[in-house]
């Protein structure tokens, strides 16, 4: 059993309006040291396969086919054995 | 200048409906090795302060006061000098 964390961010060239709203909200709270904010998504998948390589393949395909928008978003995948995550 | 990444996940005891939808969609695509899926949020902040400790303080307070729901969500903060991120 493996645990995969997929991080999905909008490409730097593409406007991210929610992050803009967060930046303004933080400025209103007094945090004007925050010069930029960009929001993204994460997905935690529990994958029942035999090898880490197979879990990486499943998680990458899940990101490519379902979770990430290939035109606007980038993603990264990190896989660990489920025992390591629980520890 | 520092770069902070805040990862926000719903607490394990709390139902996460979007992840449930993702799990079903992956099963429909043939990925029935995915036993659980939970979605979360990430925030990337660019913070203009002098020290890493100060950047960590700003990012943690941003999560506590604005980004995360203290009842339902957990968060983690990771800070790097902006040069390290660009490299």
């Amino acid at each position: 059993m493996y645990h995969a964390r997929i991080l999905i961010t909008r490409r730097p060239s593409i406007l991210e309006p929610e992050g803009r709203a967060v930046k303004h909200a933080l400025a209103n709270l007094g945090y004007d040291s925050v010069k930029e904010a960009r929001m993204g998504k994460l997905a935690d998948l529990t994958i029942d396969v035999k090898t880490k390589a197979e879990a990486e393949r499943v998680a990458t395909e899940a990101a490519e086919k379902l979770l990430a928008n290939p035109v606007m978003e980038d993603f990264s995948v990190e896989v660990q054995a489920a025992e390591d995550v629980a520890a």
Side-chain angles (χ1 to χ4, degrees), chain A:
Chain A
M1 196 81 92
Y2 291 86
H3 180 88
R5 173 159 279 181
I6 302 166
L7 301 180
I8 302 163
T9 51
R10 208 168 279 211
R11 295 204 166 143
S13 58
I14 295 184
L15 180 69
E16 203 288 283
E18 190 185 355
R20 185 120 351 159
V22 164
K23 184 193 160 193
H24 284 287
L26 287 171
N28 288 340
L29 291 171
Y31 296 102
D32 39 21
S33 61
V34 177
K35 298 308 177 192
E36 193 180 9
R38 291 178 72 85
M39 302 298 291
K41 292 180 291 186
L42 75 83
D44 283 331
L45 305 183
T46 306
I47 308 175
D48 187 10
V49 290
K50 293 265 184 287
T51 66
K52 186 174 179 182
E54 177 70 0
E56 280 166 348
R57 187 188 64 77
V58 168
T60 301
E61 290 183 18
E64 287 172 348
K65 294 187 187 176
L66 185 72
L67 297 167
N69 173 333
V71 177
M72 299 212 296
E73 293 173 330
D74 294 317
F75 67 87
S76 66
V77 171
E78 196 178 301
V79 171
Q80 288 180 279
E83 302 77 53
D84 298 346
V85 175

